[in-house]
Amino acid sequence: IDREKAQRLGLTAQDLADIFSFTLGAMRLPRFNTGDREVETWLALRLEDRENLDDLKKIQIGGGDDGQQPFLLGDIATFEIVSKPREIMRENRKVRVAVRATYDGEDWEDTQKEIAGLMDAFDLPPGYSWSWNDRIVEQQDQSSQMGVNFLLALVLVYLVMASLFESLSQPFAILFSIPFALPGVAWALAATGTSFNLMSQIGILILMGIVVNNGIVLLDHVNNLRRTGMEREEAILQAGRDRLRPILMTAATTIIGLVPLAIRGPATSGVFYYPLARTVMGGLMSSVFLTLLVLPFVSVAVEGVGNWMRRLWQNSGKIGTTERAPSEAATVAGRS
C-alpha cells in the first residue's frame, strides 16, 4: 500500500484492513430466521470475482454516497507474490519447524551423535535453537525406564522364589534361566526380520516372569526327591524325566496361543504387537531346552558355592571365638 496516496484519498489503516478482510474472506451477517429455523448468512464476493491477482487489483474502492470518486485497489498498491508457509506451528509460544526423516540403519546411537554435532555446528541467529522431537526424547526415556523395570522384575522374581524354596542360593540358579531365553529372542527377531523396539523390550520383560517357571518346576521336584533320601545326581536325572513332558506342554501351549498375535496384522491404536509375540515365542523355545540341559549344572555349581560360603562363615565365627578366649582369661587373671 502506498501510504501517501491512501492518506490523500482519506483512507485509514482500518479501512484498508476491512476491505481486505471482506475481499479475501467474507462478512458474517446476523442469522436469517425462516420461522422454523435459523440459517447462517455470509456476505462475500463471488468466487469468479476473486480467483486471481488481477481480480484483486480491480477491486473498486469509494464511489459511495459521500461523493468520493471511485478508484481501484491497484491504483494505490503494488502487488508481489511471496512464498509463505500454509500454516505456522508454535510450541511454547515459539514458531516451530519440524524436519522429518527415516533412519534404516542399525547404529542409531552413533548416527544420533553425528546429527547432533552437525546441528550444533550451525550458527543459528539469537533466539533460535534446535532440539529432538518428542518421539525421540520419549524413546530415550523409555529405554532408561525399561532398564529400571528389568532390575525391578529381577528383584521381585528373586524374592518370590526365595520365599518358595526357603533358600537364598537356589533362586540364583533359576535366575540363570533368564539369559537362556536371549538366544531364542535374537534368532526369532533375525529370522522374521523384526526390529528390536519397545514392544520387543516388553516381551523380554514378560519372559522374565515366564521362563523361570520351567526352572521352578524342575528344581522343586529335585528338592522333593532329595528329601526322600535320593542322591543329588540321581534326583536331577529323575526330575528331568518326570518334568520333561509338563515343561514341553506348557511351553507349547503358550507358543501356539501367541501365533495369531505373531502374524503381522493391522496396528491397534498405532501400535504393532507382533514384535512382542515373536520375542516371547523365540525366548520360550530356547529357554525350554537350555533349562533342561544347562540348569542342573548351574544348580550344582550355585549349591557348591553356597555351601563353601556357609562353611567359610561358620569357620570365621569359630576363629573369632578362639581369639577372644585367651584375652578374656588374661583379663580375669590380671584382676585376681
Side-chain angles (χ1 to χ4, degrees):
I1 299 295
D2 189 330
R3 292 174 178 253
E4 294 182 357
K5 289 184 179 180
Q7 188 174 5
R8 288 198 300 268
L9 295 172
L11 294 175
T12 63
Q14 183 63 44
D15 295 334
L16 295 175
D18 293 339
I19 292 172
F20 281 111
S21 176
F22 173 72
T23 303
L24 303 179
M27 180 185 299
R28 186 172 182 176
L29 301 178
R31 289 173 176 265
F32 179 72
N33 192 342
T34 63
D36 297 334
R37 59 189 180 93
E38 292 184 349
V39 179
E40 293 271 355
T41 55
W42 294 81
L43 178 63
L45 295 178
R46 296 180 304 174
L47 291 178
E48 56 268 23
D49 292 336
R50 49 188 175 97
E51 286 182 342
N52 50 48
L53 188 60
D54 291 333
D55 295 332
L56 185 62
K57 294 179 181 179
K58 295 177 181 178
I59 292 178
Q60 181 175 323
I61 302 175
D65 298 335
D66 54 0
Q68 184 182 19
Q69 291 294 327
F71 58 91
L72 301 180
L73 181 60
D75 297 336
I76 62 169
T78 56
F79 297 85
E80 180 182 359
I81 298 177
V82 180
S83 299
K84 293 290 183 179
R86 297 181 62 87
E87 60 180 0
I88 298 177
M89 301 176 61
R90 288 183 173 86
E91 184 176 351
N92 296 328
R93 295 186 296 179
K94 293 182 179 180
V95 177
R96 173 178 175 270
V97 178
V99 179
R100 294 178 174 86
T102 301
Y103 178 73
D104 295 329
E106 298 179 355
D107 194 2
W108 165 241
E109 293 184 359
D110 292 341
T111 304
Q112 187 176 6
K113 293 179 181 178
E114 184 178 357
I115 295 174
L118 294 174
M119 293 301 300
D120 291 335
F122 279 109
D123 187 14
L124 298 176
Y128 286 79
S129 62
W130 77 273
S131 64
W132 301 106
N133 71 341
D134 297 339
R135 184 176 180 181
I136 296 180
V137 174
E138 184 179 356
Q139 289 177 349
Q140 295 173 348
D141 294 340
Q142 288 173 348
S143 299
S144 60
Q145 291 175 1
M146 289 303 296
V148 176
N149 293 336
F150 289 150
L151 294 177
L152 183 60
L154 285 175
V155 173
L156 294 177
V157 170
Y158 175 81
L159 292 177
V160 172
M161 291 189 298
S163 62
L164 174 65
F165 291 103
E166 297 181 354
S167 171
L168 297 178
S169 60
Q170 279 194 336
F172 279 109
I174 299 178
L175 288 180
F176 276 98
S177 62
I178 295 177
F180 297 161
L182 298 182
V185 171
W187 171 81
L189 296 182
T192 57
T194 307
S195 61
F196 185 75
N197 52 19
L198 178 62
M199 299 307 298
S200 301
Q201 297 179 18
I202 296 176
I204 293 180
L205 188 63
I206 295 174
L207 277 173
M208 295 174 67
I210 296 178
V211 297
V212 297
N213 295 338
N214 300 329
I216 292 174
V217 171
L218 182 63
L219 290 187
D220 184 62
H221 192 47
V222 171
N223 293 337
N224 293 333
L225 293 176
R226 294 182 65 180
R227 292 190 190 101
T228 61
M230 190 177 294
E231 295 295 329
R232 181 176 63 184
E233 288 75 11
E234 185 180 358
I236 291 175
L237 293 175
Q238 185 63 36
R241 298 189 194 99
D242 296 341
R243 292 293 181 261
L244 176 61
R245 179 175 295 180
I247 290 176
L248 292 178
M249 289 178 61
T250 55
T253 53
T254 304
I255 293 173
I256 294 174
L258 289 173
V259 169
L261 188 61
I263 300 174
R264 183 169 182 173
T268 303
S269 300
V271 179
F272 290 95
Y273 291 95
Y274 64 89
L276 185 151
R278 295 174 183 177
T279 299
V280 175
M281 292 171 65
L284 273 178
M285 291 179 185
S286 63
S287 67
V288 167
F289 296 102
L290 293 178
T291 297
L292 292 172
L293 296 176
V294 183
L295 183 59
F297 297 98
V298 176
S299 176
V300 172
V302 171
E303 184 178 353
V305 173
N307 293 333
W308 175 79
M309 294 183 65
R310 188 181 301 107
R311 289 194 300 269
L312 182 63
W313 176 264
Q314 293 174 354
N315 294 333
S316 64
K318 293 179 181 179
I319 293 174
T321 304
T322 304
E323 291 178 350
R324 286 195 300 270
S327 62
E328 293 175 356
T331 302
V332 174
R335 290 178 181 176
S336 63

